[in-house]
Amino acid sequence: MTKPPSTDSDKLVDALVQTAFRTMAALSRIGAEHDLSLTQLRALGILRDRRLRMTALADFLGLEKSTMTGLVDRAEKRGLLRRGPNASDGRAVDVFLSSDGAVLAGRVHAQVAEALSPTTGALAPAEQRRLQVLLDRMLDSQAVLR
Amino acid sequence: MTKPPSTDSDKLVDALVQTAFRTMAALSRIGAEHDLSLTQLRALGILRDRRLRMTALADFLGLEKSTMTGLVDRAEKRGLLRRGPNASDGRAVDVFLSSDGAVLAGRVHAQVAEALSPTTGALAPAEQRRLQVLLDRMLDSQAVLR
DNA sequence: TATTGTTATACTCTATAACTATA
DNA sequence: TATAGTTATAGAGTATAACAATA
Protein backbone atom coordinates (compact mmCIF):
# COMPACT_ATOMS: atom_id res chain seq x y z
CA MET A 1 0.00 0.00 0.00
CA THR A 2 2.93 2.33 -0.68
CA LYS A 3 3.21 5.10 -3.22
CA PRO A 4 3.97 3.82 -6.72
CA PRO A 5 7.05 5.26 -8.48
CA SER A 6 6.59 8.53 -10.37
CA THR A 7 6.46 8.69 -14.12
CA ASP A 8 7.73 11.68 -16.13
CA SER A 9 4.16 12.82 -16.64
CA ASP A 10 3.55 12.55 -12.89
CA LYS A 11 6.47 14.82 -12.23
CA LEU A 12 5.04 17.57 -14.41
CA VAL A 13 1.63 17.18 -12.74
CA ASP A 14 3.25 17.37 -9.33
CA ALA A 15 5.17 20.50 -10.33
CA LEU A 16 1.95 22.11 -11.56
CA VAL A 17 0.11 21.24 -8.36
CA GLN A 18 2.95 22.45 -6.15
CA THR A 19 3.21 25.68 -8.11
CA ALA A 20 -0.53 26.15 -7.79
CA PHE A 21 -0.45 25.69 -4.01
CA ARG A 22 2.47 28.10 -3.67
CA THR A 23 0.71 30.68 -5.81
CA MET A 24 -2.58 30.29 -3.95
CA ALA A 25 -0.76 30.63 -0.63
CA ALA A 26 0.61 33.98 -1.76
CA LEU A 27 -2.83 35.08 -2.93
CA SER A 28 -4.42 33.97 0.33
CA ARG A 29 -1.84 35.80 2.39
CA ILE A 30 -2.22 39.02 0.43
CA GLY A 31 -6.00 38.70 0.57
CA ALA A 32 -5.87 38.20 4.33
CA GLU A 33 -3.81 41.39 4.69
CA HIS A 34 -6.81 43.22 3.25
CA ASP A 35 -9.46 41.06 4.93
CA LEU A 36 -10.37 39.51 1.63
CA SER A 37 -11.12 35.83 1.13
CA LEU A 38 -9.59 34.16 -1.90
CA THR A 39 -12.98 34.33 -3.59
CA GLN A 40 -13.40 38.03 -2.87
CA LEU A 41 -9.87 38.67 -4.11
CA ARG A 42 -10.70 36.86 -7.28
CA ALA A 43 -13.98 38.72 -7.73
CA LEU A 44 -12.12 42.02 -7.46
CA GLY A 45 -9.67 40.84 -10.11
CA ILE A 46 -12.44 39.70 -12.44
CA LEU A 47 -14.37 42.96 -12.06
CA ARG A 48 -11.24 45.01 -12.63
CA ASP A 49 -12.07 45.39 -16.29
CA ARG A 50 -15.68 44.22 -16.47
CA ARG A 51 -19.18 44.99 -15.27
CA LEU A 52 -21.10 41.74 -14.84
CA ARG A 53 -24.55 40.65 -13.77
CA MET A 54 -24.75 38.48 -10.64
CA THR A 55 -25.15 35.17 -12.46
CA ALA A 56 -22.28 35.91 -14.84
CA LEU A 57 -19.97 36.64 -11.92
CA ALA A 58 -21.20 33.49 -10.18
CA ASP A 59 -20.34 31.49 -13.30
CA PHE A 60 -16.84 32.99 -13.42
CA LEU A 61 -16.30 32.05 -9.80
CA GLY A 62 -18.06 28.69 -9.97
CA LEU A 63 -20.53 29.64 -7.23
CA GLU A 64 -24.30 29.43 -6.73
CA LYS A 65 -26.25 32.63 -7.19
CA SER A 66 -27.32 32.62 -3.55
CA THR A 67 -23.66 32.54 -2.57
CA MET A 68 -23.04 35.54 -4.82
CA THR A 69 -25.70 37.49 -2.97
CA GLY A 70 -23.85 37.09 0.31
CA LEU A 71 -20.42 37.78 -1.13
CA VAL A 72 -21.59 40.92 -2.93
CA ASP A 73 -23.55 42.02 0.17
CA ARG A 74 -20.42 41.95 2.30
CA ALA A 75 -18.22 43.62 -0.30
CA GLU A 76 -20.85 46.29 -0.96
CA LYS A 77 -21.18 46.99 2.76
CA ARG A 78 -17.42 47.54 2.82
CA GLY A 79 -17.70 49.91 -0.12
CA LEU A 80 -15.66 47.79 -2.52
CA LEU A 81 -18.40 46.74 -4.92
CA ARG A 82 -21.61 48.34 -6.06
CA ARG A 83 -24.86 47.01 -7.46
CA GLY A 84 -26.63 48.72 -10.32
CA PRO A 85 -29.45 48.07 -12.78
CA ASN A 86 -28.83 46.12 -15.95
CA ALA A 87 -29.59 48.11 -19.07
CA SER A 88 -31.31 45.35 -21.01
CA ASP A 89 -32.93 43.08 -18.41
CA GLY A 90 -35.04 44.39 -15.56
CA ARG A 91 -34.53 41.23 -13.51
CA ALA A 92 -30.75 41.35 -13.64
CA VAL A 93 -28.43 43.18 -11.24
CA ASP A 94 -25.03 44.40 -12.42
CA VAL A 95 -22.00 44.37 -10.15
CA PHE A 96 -18.93 46.57 -10.56
CA LEU A 97 -16.04 48.02 -8.57
CA SER A 98 -16.48 51.23 -6.60
CA SER A 99 -13.57 53.67 -6.83
CA ASP A 100 -12.30 52.36 -3.48
CA GLY A 101 -12.63 48.85 -4.86
CA ALA A 102 -10.68 49.78 -7.98
CA VAL A 103 -7.87 51.25 -5.89
CA LEU A 104 -7.73 48.14 -3.73
CA ALA A 105 -7.83 45.84 -6.75
CA GLY A 106 -4.89 47.72 -8.25
CA ARG A 107 -2.91 47.55 -5.02
CA VAL A 108 -3.59 43.84 -4.63
CA HIS A 109 -2.53 43.17 -8.20
CA ALA A 110 0.76 44.99 -7.63
CA GLN A 111 1.32 43.10 -4.39
CA VAL A 112 0.74 39.78 -6.10
CA ALA A 113 3.23 40.65 -8.82
CA GLU A 114 5.73 41.67 -6.18
CA ALA A 115 5.12 38.55 -4.09
CA LEU A 116 5.72 36.27 -7.05
CA SER A 117 8.73 38.15 -8.39
CA PRO A 118 11.30 36.34 -6.24
CA THR A 119 9.87 33.11 -7.63
CA THR A 120 9.87 34.13 -11.25
CA GLY A 121 13.21 35.80 -10.60
CA ALA A 122 14.79 32.40 -10.16
CA LEU A 123 14.62 32.19 -13.95
CA ALA A 124 16.60 34.22 -16.44
CA PRO A 125 14.55 36.67 -18.53
CA ALA A 126 14.63 34.43 -21.59
CA GLU A 127 13.43 31.52 -19.48
CA GLN A 128 10.65 33.63 -18.02
CA ARG A 129 9.42 34.37 -21.51
CA ARG A 130 9.59 30.70 -22.44
CA LEU A 131 7.66 29.76 -19.30
CA GLN A 132 5.00 32.33 -20.05
CA VAL A 133 4.61 31.04 -23.60
CA LEU A 134 4.26 27.46 -22.39
CA LEU A 135 1.72 28.35 -19.70
CA ASP A 136 -0.32 30.51 -22.06
CA ARG A 137 -0.41 27.71 -24.58
CA MET A 138 -1.76 25.34 -21.97
CA LEU A 139 -4.32 27.89 -20.83
CA ASP A 140 -5.48 28.55 -24.38
CA SER A 141 -5.82 24.87 -25.17
CA GLN A 142 -9.17 24.61 -23.41
CA ALA A 143 -11.84 26.87 -22.00
CA VAL A 144 -12.51 24.75 -18.95
CA LEU A 145 -10.45 22.08 -17.33
CA ARG A 146 -12.10 18.70 -17.33
CA MET B 1 -8.96 54.76 -12.26
CA THR B 2 -8.50 52.23 -15.06
CA LYS B 3 -6.21 49.25 -15.27
CA PRO B 4 -2.62 50.18 -16.13
CA PRO B 5 -1.05 48.47 -19.16
CA SER B 6 0.59 45.07 -18.59
CA THR B 7 4.33 44.64 -18.49
CA ASP B 8 6.10 41.46 -19.60
CA SER B 9 6.58 40.51 -15.98
CA ASP B 10 2.87 41.05 -15.34
CA LYS B 11 2.02 38.66 -18.11
CA LEU B 12 4.03 35.87 -16.53
CA VAL B 13 2.44 36.59 -13.16
CA ASP B 14 -1.01 36.52 -14.74
CA ALA B 15 -0.23 33.23 -16.46
CA LEU B 16 0.94 31.73 -13.15
CA VAL B 17 -2.20 32.92 -11.36
CA GLN B 18 -4.50 31.69 -14.10
CA THR B 19 -2.75 28.32 -14.17
CA ALA B 20 -3.07 28.12 -10.40
CA PHE B 21 -6.82 28.81 -10.47
CA ARG B 22 -7.33 26.24 -13.22
CA THR B 23 -5.34 23.65 -11.34
CA MET B 24 -7.13 24.35 -8.08
CA ALA B 25 -10.49 24.10 -9.84
CA ALA B 26 -9.57 20.60 -11.00
CA LEU B 27 -8.42 19.66 -7.50
CA SER B 28 -11.62 21.05 -5.97
CA ARG B 29 -13.80 19.18 -8.39
CA ILE B 30 -12.02 15.89 -7.83
CA GLY B 31 -12.10 16.45 -4.08
CA ALA B 32 -15.83 17.13 -4.21
CA GLU B 33 -16.36 13.84 -6.04
CA HIS B 34 -15.00 12.12 -2.96
CA ASP B 35 -16.54 14.53 -0.44
CA LEU B 36 -13.13 15.96 0.34
CA SER B 37 -12.44 19.64 0.84
CA LEU B 38 -9.36 21.05 -0.83
CA THR B 39 -7.63 21.02 2.54
CA GLN B 40 -8.55 17.40 3.23
CA LEU B 41 -7.38 16.46 -0.26
CA ARG B 42 -4.09 18.16 0.42
CA ALA B 43 -3.72 16.52 3.82
CA LEU B 44 -4.16 13.12 2.20
CA GLY B 45 -1.49 14.02 -0.34
CA ILE B 46 0.92 15.22 2.34
CA LEU B 47 0.41 12.12 4.48
CA ARG B 48 0.86 9.85 1.50
CA ASP B 49 4.50 9.35 2.33
CA ARG B 50 4.78 10.75 5.86
CA ARG B 51 3.59 10.25 9.42
CA LEU B 52 3.31 13.67 11.12
CA ARG B 53 2.31 15.03 14.49
CA MET B 54 -0.70 17.34 14.56
CA THR B 55 1.25 20.59 14.72
CA ALA B 56 3.59 19.56 11.90
CA LEU B 57 0.62 18.80 9.65
CA ALA B 58 -0.97 22.09 10.67
CA ASP B 59 2.24 23.89 9.64
CA PHE B 60 2.26 22.14 6.26
CA LEU B 61 -1.32 23.23 5.68
CA GLY B 62 -0.97 26.68 7.22
CA LEU B 63 -3.75 26.03 9.74
CA GLU B 64 -4.20 26.51 13.49
CA LYS B 65 -3.88 23.43 15.66
CA SER B 66 -7.53 23.68 16.71
CA THR B 67 -8.51 23.55 13.04
CA MET B 68 -6.40 20.42 12.63
CA THR B 69 -8.33 18.75 15.46
CA GLY B 70 -11.61 19.18 13.57
CA LEU B 71 -10.20 18.18 10.20
CA VAL B 72 -8.55 15.05 11.59
CA ASP B 73 -11.69 14.24 13.63
CA ARG B 74 -13.84 14.20 10.50
CA ALA B 75 -11.32 12.27 8.42
CA GLU B 76 -10.76 9.77 11.22
CA LYS B 77 -14.50 9.26 11.62
CA ARG B 78 -14.64 8.46 7.89
CA GLY B 79 -11.80 5.98 8.31
CA LEU B 80 -9.32 7.85 6.13
CA LEU B 81 -6.85 8.96 8.79
CA ARG B 82 -5.76 7.53 12.08
CA ARG B 83 -4.28 9.01 15.24
CA GLY B 84 -1.47 7.30 17.11
CA PRO B 85 1.01 8.03 19.88
CA ASN B 86 4.27 9.78 19.14
CA ALA B 87 7.30 7.72 20.06
CA SER B 88 9.36 10.49 21.59
CA ASP B 89 6.85 12.98 23.08
CA GLY B 90 3.93 11.95 25.25
CA ARG B 91 2.04 15.15 24.50
CA ALA B 92 2.18 14.76 20.74
CA VAL B 93 -0.29 12.88 18.54
CA ASP B 94 0.80 11.40 15.22
CA VAL B 95 -1.50 11.32 12.20
CA PHE B 96 -1.23 8.91 9.30
CA LEU B 97 -3.29 7.36 6.52
CA SER B 98 -5.42 4.31 7.17
CA SER B 99 -5.33 1.67 4.45
CA ASP B 100 -8.62 3.03 3.10
CA GLY B 101 -7.08 6.50 3.18
CA ALA B 102 -4.04 5.30 1.28
CA VAL B 103 -6.23 3.72 -1.40
CA LEU B 104 -8.25 6.93 -1.74
CA ALA B 105 -5.11 9.07 -1.83
CA GLY B 106 -3.75 6.92 -4.65
CA ARG B 107 -6.99 7.11 -6.59
CA VAL B 108 -7.19 10.88 -6.17
CA HIS B 109 -3.60 11.29 -7.31
CA ALA B 110 -4.31 9.29 -10.45
CA GLN B 111 -7.47 11.30 -11.12
CA VAL B 112 -5.58 14.56 -10.79
CA ALA B 113 -2.94 13.37 -13.22
CA GLU B 114 -5.68 12.33 -15.62
CA ALA B 115 -7.56 15.61 -15.21
CA LEU B 116 -4.48 17.66 -16.00
CA SER B 117 -3.29 15.50 -18.86
CA PRO B 118 -5.37 17.27 -21.54
CA THR B 119 -3.76 20.49 -20.35
CA THR B 120 -0.22 19.25 -20.30
CA GLY B 121 -1.01 17.41 -23.51
CA ALA B 122 -1.24 20.75 -25.30
CA LEU B 123 2.54 20.70 -25.16
CA ALA B 124 4.90 18.38 -27.03
CA PRO B 125 6.83 15.92 -24.84
CA ALA B 126 10.04 17.97 -25.06
CA GLU B 127 8.13 21.09 -24.06
CA GLN B 128 6.57 19.28 -21.14
CA ARG B 129 10.03 18.38 -19.90
CA ARG B 130 11.18 21.97 -20.29
CA LEU B 131 8.12 23.23 -18.43
CA GLN B 132 8.74 20.81 -15.61
CA VAL B 133 12.37 21.88 -15.34
CA LEU B 134 11.40 25.55 -15.21
CA LEU B 135 8.68 25.01 -12.59
CA ASP B 136 10.92 22.84 -10.44
CA ARG B 137 13.62 25.46 -10.54
CA MET B 138 11.17 28.09 -9.34
CA LEU B 139 9.90 25.77 -6.61
CA ASP B 140 13.41 24.95 -5.44
CA SER B 141 14.43 28.58 -5.34
CA GLN B 142 12.76 29.19 -1.99
CA ALA B 143 11.23 27.29 0.89
CA VAL B 144 8.31 29.62 1.40
CA LEU B 145 6.80 32.22 -0.86
CA ARG B 146 6.95 35.73 0.52
C1' DT C 1 -43.61 29.24 -17.70
C1' DA C 2 -38.75 30.29 -17.21
C1' DT C 3 -35.17 33.15 -15.36
C1' DT C 4 -32.90 36.54 -12.01
C1' DG C 5 -31.90 37.52 -7.68
C1' DT C 6 -32.90 37.32 -2.57
C1' DT C 7 -34.16 35.07 1.76
C1' DA C 8 -34.16 31.28 5.08
C1' DT C 9 -31.68 27.60 6.71
C1' DA C 10 -28.01 24.34 7.58
C1' DC C 11 -23.35 22.56 7.36
C1' DT C 12 -18.27 22.98 6.75
C1' DC C 13 -14.12 25.43 7.52
C1' DT C 14 -11.63 28.49 10.01
C1' DA C 15 -9.72 31.18 14.10
C1' DT C 16 -9.41 32.77 19.15
C1' DA C 17 -9.46 31.74 23.83
C1' DA C 18 -9.67 28.71 27.71
C1' DC C 19 -8.50 24.24 29.31
C1' DT C 20 -5.88 19.55 30.26
C1' DA C 21 -1.90 16.81 30.11
C1' DT C 22 2.85 16.34 29.47
C1' DA C 23 7.68 18.29 29.14
C1' DT D 1 6.67 27.59 32.70
C1' DA D 2 6.14 26.19 28.02
C1' DT D 3 4.24 23.14 24.55
C1' DA D 4 0.74 19.74 22.31
C1' DG D 5 -3.66 18.96 21.61
C1' DT D 6 -8.80 19.42 22.57
C1' DT D 7 -13.03 21.90 23.57
C1' DA D 8 -16.20 25.81 23.29
C1' DT D 9 -17.62 29.34 20.61
C1' DA D 10 -18.26 32.50 16.85
C1' DG D 11 -17.91 34.14 12.05
C1' DA D 12 -17.34 33.54 7.01
C1' DG D 13 -18.31 30.78 2.98
C1' DT D 14 -20.90 27.58 0.78
C1' DA D 15 -25.23 25.06 -1.02
C1' DT D 16 -30.34 23.80 -1.33
C1' DA D 17 -34.99 25.11 -1.39
C1' DA D 18 -38.66 28.40 -1.40
C1' DC D 19 -39.94 32.87 -2.83
C1' DA D 20 -40.78 37.60 -5.51
C1' DA D 21 -40.24 40.15 -9.63
C1' DT D 22 -39.55 40.33 -14.41
C1' DA D 23 -39.26 38.17 -19.09
Side-chain angles (χ1 to χ4, degrees):
Chain A
M1 207 55 64
T2 53
K3 221 173 79 168
S6 296
T7 65
D8 265 9
S9 145
D10 263 359
K11 280 193 279 187
L12 175 53
V13 167
D14 287 348
L16 279 171
V17 170
Q18 287 307 314
T19 305
F21 276 122
R22 286 272 186 97
T23 305
M24 300 309 280
L27 294 177
S28 289
R29 182 181 54 69
I30 290 166
E33 283 178 23
H34 300 283
D35 273 304
L36 294 171
S37 72
L38 209 42
T39 307
Q40 287 174 317
L41 189 86
R42 206 177 158 200
L44 253 56
I46 289 170
L47 293 176
R48 209 161 165 231
D49 50 12
R50 294 178 191 86
R51 171 186 177 117
L52 294 174
R53 49 165 70 188
M54 295 289 283
T55 44
L57 182 55
D59 286 346
F60 265 91
L61 294 169
L63 297 172
E64 286 302 313
K65 53 189 182 171
S66 63
T67 305
M68 278 312 315
T69 298
L71 190 151
V72 171
D73 279 354
R74 291 184 288 273
E76 193 177 27
K77 205 163 294 178
R78 281 181 61 185
L80 301 177
L81 299 184
R82 289 183 53 203
R83 282 175 165 95
N86 181 278
S88 59
D89 188 334
R91 298 168 300 179
V93 172
D94 281 354
V95 197
F96 50 96
L97 294 184
S98 67
S99 36
D100 280 2
V103 169
L104 181 55
R107 189 172 313 162
V108 162
H109 188 268
Q111 261 184 292
V112 170
E114 194 186 344
L116 294 180
S117 70
T119 306
T120 59
L123 305 180
E127 291 174 324
Q128 292 184 29
R129 281 191 295 276
R130 260 198 290 161
L131 176 58
Q132 186 222 314
V133 167
L134 292 172
L135 293 177
D136 278 339
R137 193 123 54 80
M138 287 203 316
L139 289 169
D140 285 344
S141 71
Q142 55 205 307
V144 177
L145 211 60
R146 288 287 151 72
Chain B
M1 208 56 64
T2 53
K3 220 172 84 169
S6 296
T7 65
D8 265 11
S9 144
D10 264 358
K11 282 193 279 189
L12 175 53
V13 167
D14 287 348
L16 280 170
V17 170
Q18 286 307 315
T19 305
F21 276 122
R22 286 274 186 95
T23 306
M24 300 308 279
L27 295 177
S28 288
R29 182 181 55 68
I30 291 167
E33 283 176 25
H34 300 284
D35 272 303
L36 293 171
S37 71
L38 208 42
T39 307
Q40 287 173 316
L41 188 85
R42 205 176 158 200
L44 253 57
I46 289 170
L47 293 176
R48 211 162 165 230
D49 49 14
R50 294 177 192 87
R51 172 186 175 118
L52 294 175
R53 50 165 70 187
M54 295 288 282
T55 45
L57 182 56
D59 287 345
F60 264 92
L61 295 169
L63 297 172
E64 287 301 313
K65 53 189 183 170
S66 63
T67 305
M68 278 312 315
T69 299
L71 189 150
V72 172
D73 279 353
R74 290 184 289 272
E76 192 176 28
K77 205 162 293 177
R78 282 181 61 185
L80 301 177
L81 299 185
R82 288 183 54 201
R83 280 177 166 93
N86 180 279
S88 59
D89 188 335
R91 299 169 300 179
V93 172
D94 280 355
V95 196
F96 50 95
L97 295 183
S98 68
S99 37
D100 279 2
V103 169
L104 181 56
R107 188 173 314 161
V108 162
H109 188 269
Q111 262 186 291
V112 170
E114 195 186 344
L116 294 180
S117 70
T119 305
T120 59
L123 304 181
E127 292 174 322
Q128 292 185 29
R129 281 190 297 274
R130 260 199 290 160
L131 176 59
Q132 185 223 314
V133 167
L134 292 172
L135 293 177
D136 278 339
R137 194 123 54 80
M138 287 203 316
L139 290 168
D140 285 344
S141 70
Q142 56 205 307
V144 177
L145 209 59
R146 285 287 150 70

